[in-house]
Amino acid sequence: ALRRALKAAASMGEPSSQDAAPPLRDAAPPTLFQEIMAQWEWLQQAHDYVVAMPALRERVSSFRKSAWEFTSTAKVSTETVERQVTATLQPSDASKEHWAALLAFRRQYPAVIVAAATGVSVLPALAHLRTSKLTALRLVARNSLLGGGGAAVLLYPEIVFRAAPYVSRGVTKAEDTIASVRAN
């Protein structure tokens, strides 16, 4: 009985002839790819990814098309903005005509403009005429010289060119006088 028990225990790990699978003689021999795939699971996953991935040509073409559409849209937008900025910065025809008329008036009637600038500049003095005549006189003198004189210089630039040598000589004399006073 002991022999039978040992023989039964030893035969438990071995498959019996009834349990064994029939030999694969009718099946085709496995290819090299099938053998590698059976051994390398990561290679199977990589193969599945490559098979499932869209064609590279399609991906490159779609990316190129998207990039071209983006750049063409950017160019059109840039051109539109540049046209709008240019149109905004250019004066209208009406404003060009008004400006030309204003410049023609300035060339024809500079004395009228100087008189108007002087008149406007002395208006604050009229407010002080009732309170203090001395203050009003001072304001009239100062504002007429600054307002009228400034307008005259701007509208008659030849005054500056003719007066420049005299002013230069006067400034030189004043500098010499100040230097001699400081030296003593």
Side-chain angles (χ1 to χ4, degrees):
L2 185 58
R3 276 189 198 175
R4 269 190 266 147
L6 288 175
K7 206 177 205 185
S11 68
M12 279 180 97
E14 297 176 8
S16 64
S17 59
Q18 296 172 353
D19 294 341
L24 296 174
R25 292 186 186 165
D26 295 337
T31 62
L32 178 62
F33 178 74
Q34 290 171 339
E35 289 177 7
I36 292 173
M37 293 307 288
Q39 296 174 6
W40 299 91
E41 183 178 330
W42 65 271
L43 194 56
Q44 177 66 38
Q45 291 172 351
H47 176 265
D48 292 343
Y49 176 75
V50 169
V51 169
M53 183 175 67
L56 181 62
R57 181 181 179 108
E58 291 175 14
R59 292 183 85 181
V60 169
S61 297
S62 67
F63 177 75
R64 186 186 72 233
K65 184 179 177 183
S66 299
W68 182 81
E69 289 174 355
F70 175 76
T71 55
S72 63
T73 303
K75 285 179 184 177
V76 168
S77 299
T78 303
E79 291 169 359
T80 303
V81 168
E82 286 177 356
R83 277 196 307 267
Q84 289 175 348
V85 167
T86 302
T88 303
L89 295 178
Q90 293 296 325
S92 66
D93 293 335
S95 64
K96 286 179 183 178
E97 290 173 10
H98 292 305
W99 186 252
L102 182 66
L103 291 177
F105 180 80
R106 186 194 71 142
R107 285 185 203 101
Q108 288 177 348
Y109 307 106
V112 173
I113 296 172
V114 170
T118 305
V120 168
S121 65
V122 298
L123 284 178
L126 297 177
H128 291 284
L129 190 59
R130 292 186 184 149
T131 58
S132 171
K133 292 189 181 196
L134 184 62
T135 303
L137 183 62
R138 185 179 56 81
L139 285 173
V140 165
R142 182 192 69 185
N143 290 356
S144 62
L145 284 175
L146 291 177
V153 167
L154 290 175
L155 293 172
Y156 294 105
E158 62 270 6
I159 293 174
V160 175
F161 294 127
R162 288 183 187 159
Y166 300 111
V167 172
S168 176
R169 279 187 235 139
V171 169
T172 305
K173 285 182 186 177
E175 287 176 347
D176 293 341
T177 304
I178 291 171
S180 67
V181 169
R182 285 187 182 168
N184 292 332

